[in-house]
Amino acid sequence: MAADLPNSVKQLSDSGAFSSLPLQLYASRDPAAPSDVDATLEPQIPTIDLSLLTGATPRERARMVQRLGRACQDWGFFMARTFRVVVNHGVPEGLRQAMLEEANKFFDLEEEDKAELRGETVLDPIRYGTSFNPKAEVGVRYWRDFLKLAVHPDFHSPAKPLCFSDVLRDYATCTRRVGMELLKGIWESLELEENDMNKALKLDSCFQLFVANLYPPCPQPELVFGLPPHSDHGLLTLLHQNGVDGLNVEHGGKWVHVKPLPGSFLVNAGDHMQIVTNGRYKSALHRAMANGKSTRVSVLTVVGPSLDTVVEPVAALVSSERPAMYRGWSYRQFLEYQQGNQLKEKAVLELLRCRDHEDVI
């Protein structure tokens, strides 16, 4: 039956031909399982004021840097928002909304136009698809369509929609700048030298990935994931969405439903943050939930090291009391392995974990 299905969940949702899911392909959740979301944790999600990292007094900045470090240590996740106007920092709200609109326009293109962008390899600079990696997924798909674009150090964009490329170029520049400001604060919270970290990770030629996700209404959302529990590659992911919620973050063994503050980015630390900090700061396990009423669109940017950088724990955070927890692997190798296999929690990070101080791969 899978061969007769549309090529995207948008096609499947728009067709109206299914009042229930093709269960053998999409069912990945037990609808009878009790809720694992803890509503009491939602107010505890850390919030970082970007203006106090970029345009504050030294004392204000020091307090915010300390708060940023605690968020990365305890949650691996936070909301980032500019609470006051700071020139040349942040992302204008008009640009954020324009990027969402262009993403919507892309997904509304004819399927034939989008199908031309289906990549052959996981590192193709322009790649449209559905689920996560259907070639590697055995027996289940996820309720998501996506567009993935490499935007730095080389910029790539589809030719359609007409204004997509111009908006994306500005959006990528602004979000990369925000990401670098956050990284500067994170290094400072660990008493690491910014220049040393920039050189070690080759951040002048950082690999930046833009991703647009589409989660259309699902006839049986209680049976599916938009994306299953997983952590991201890279150092930081900055996400914003339309007015439809669906992101859950794991904290202390419980799941937290995330409702973003107006004008905020949802930021999570990636696996390479956990590696380079030798486990001091952790990548955030998160998942995307489906719903039966509204289309959720999210756009995100991932800021990582350069592709050829071998990422390993920084020497300043390795000691006899805390030996290196992870083996070094190039960012390119990590991406090829993660993106080429099934998406499962922190599987690649665990593959790189040192056992009894010996390499395991």
Side-chain angles (χ1 to χ4, degrees):
M1 181 177 177
D4 300 325
L5 291 174
N7 293 318
S8 69
V9 291
K10 185 177 190 305
Q11 274 189 309
L12 190 59
S13 180
D14 288 350
S15 71
F18 297 90
S19 58
S20 61
L21 285 173
L23 296 182
Q24 78 280 16
L25 192 61
Y26 284 99
S28 56
R29 296 174 57 204
D30 179 3
S35 174
D36 53 5
V37 174
D38 187 344
T40 66
L41 291 172
E42 185 182 332
Q44 301 177 32
I45 296 174
T47 301
I48 300 300
D49 185 348
L50 290 171
S51 64
L52 296 185
L53 287 177
T54 57
T57 66
R59 186 175 180 180
E60 288 174 324
R61 175 179 167 78
R63 284 201 299 263
M64 193 50 58
V65 164
Q66 185 180 45
R67 186 170 182 173
L68 178 60
R70 285 199 304 269
C72 291
Q73 177 177 302
D74 297 340
W75 284 74
F77 179 84
F78 54 89
M79 297 190 201
R81 183 185 180 194
T82 297
F83 288 91
R84 63 187 185 190
V85 176
V86 182
V87 177
N88 293 328
H89 292 286
V91 183
E93 187 60 26
L95 179 57
R96 284 164 35 102
Q97 294 308 311
M99 193 70 259
L100 278 173
E101 290 170 7
E102 292 302 314
N104 263 314
K105 290 177 185 177
F106 172 82
F107 288 119
D108 282 341
L109 293 174
E110 294 295 329
E111 193 64 31
E112 293 75 15
D113 292 329
K114 292 180 289 186
E116 295 176 359
L117 305 178
R118 292 184 183 275
E120 295 298 322
T121 72
V122 295
L123 284 182
D124 282 351
I126 299 177
R127 188 157 65 99
Y128 164 72
T130 192
S131 190
F132 177 72
N133 183 359
K135 293 180 180 179
E137 290 159 351
V138 179
V140 67
R141 288 189 184 179
Y142 303 111
W143 196 258
R144 174 189 78 144
D145 294 336
F146 66 82
L147 173 66
K148 297 184 179 183
L149 305 169
V151 292
H152 192 268
D154 299 314
F155 179 82
H156 302 272
S157 176
K160 298 177 182 178
L162 183 61
C163 296
F164 190 102
S165 180
D166 290 341
V167 173
L168 176 62
R169 189 179 295 274
D170 289 344
Y171 184 81
T173 298
C174 288
T175 51
R176 185 167 62 253
R177 186 166 59 217
V178 171
M180 292 303 174
E181 289 289 354
L182 288 170
L183 288 175
K184 181 178 179 181
I186 289 169
W187 306 145
E188 188 175 334
S189 74
L190 290 166
E191 300 182 348
L192 300 172
E193 290 293 331
E194 179 189 3
N195 288 339
D196 292 345
M197 297 305 297
N198 288 348
K199 290 179 182 178
L201 298 172
K202 302 178 183 176
L203 292 181
D204 287 343
S205 56
C206 73
F207 180 72
Q208 182 183 3
L209 184 72
F210 169 87
V211 183
N213 294 314
L214 180 82
Y215 305 96
C218 177
Q220 293 179 288
E222 71 279 4
L223 296 179
V224 306
F225 282 115
L227 281 175
H230 67 283
S231 55
D232 290 344
H233 60 81
L235 296 166
L236 292 175
T237 299
L238 286 75
L239 177 149
H240 85 282
Q241 61 188 29
N242 62 355
V244 180
D245 297 330
L247 178 66
N248 290 177
V249 174
E250 189 273 337
H251 179 66
K254 297 287 188 178
W255 287 97
V256 187
H257 182 63
V258 181
K259 296 181 179 179
L261 293 169
S264 66
F265 281 101
L266 306 178
V267 183
N268 60 269
D271 286 342
H272 291 85
M273 179 65 72
Q274 185 162 332
I275 293 170
V276 79
T277 64
N278 201 29
R280 289 275 296 274
Y281 292 169
K282 64 178 184 179
S283 57
L285 201 63
H286 55 287
R287 65 190 185 187
M289 310 303 288
N291 78 82
K293 296 180 179 179
S294 304
T295 295
R296 178 173 179 249
V297 178
S298 66
V299 295
L300 60 91
T301 184
V302 179
V303 177
S306 71
L307 284 176
D308 63 345
T309 298
V310 175
V311 184
E312 57 191 355
V314 63
L317 299 180
V318 175
S319 65
S320 57
E321 293 77 21
R322 193 183 183 92
M325 295 175 63
Y326 302 99
R327 172 179 173 167
W329 224 16
S330 78
Y331 190 19
R332 184 187 303 276
Q333 287 175 298
F334 190 105
L335 273 172
E336 288 176 337
Y337 189 93
Q338 186 206 48
Q339 300 291 301
N341 289 277
Q342 287 184 287
L343 191 62
K344 185 179 180 182
E345 299 189 347
K346 296 188 177 186
V348 191
L349 197 61
E350 289 304 309
L351 185 68
L352 294 174
R353 187 183 292 273
C354 296
R355 314 290 182 186
D356 298 325
H357 316 308
E358 294 181 358
D359 293 340
V360 295
I361 60 172

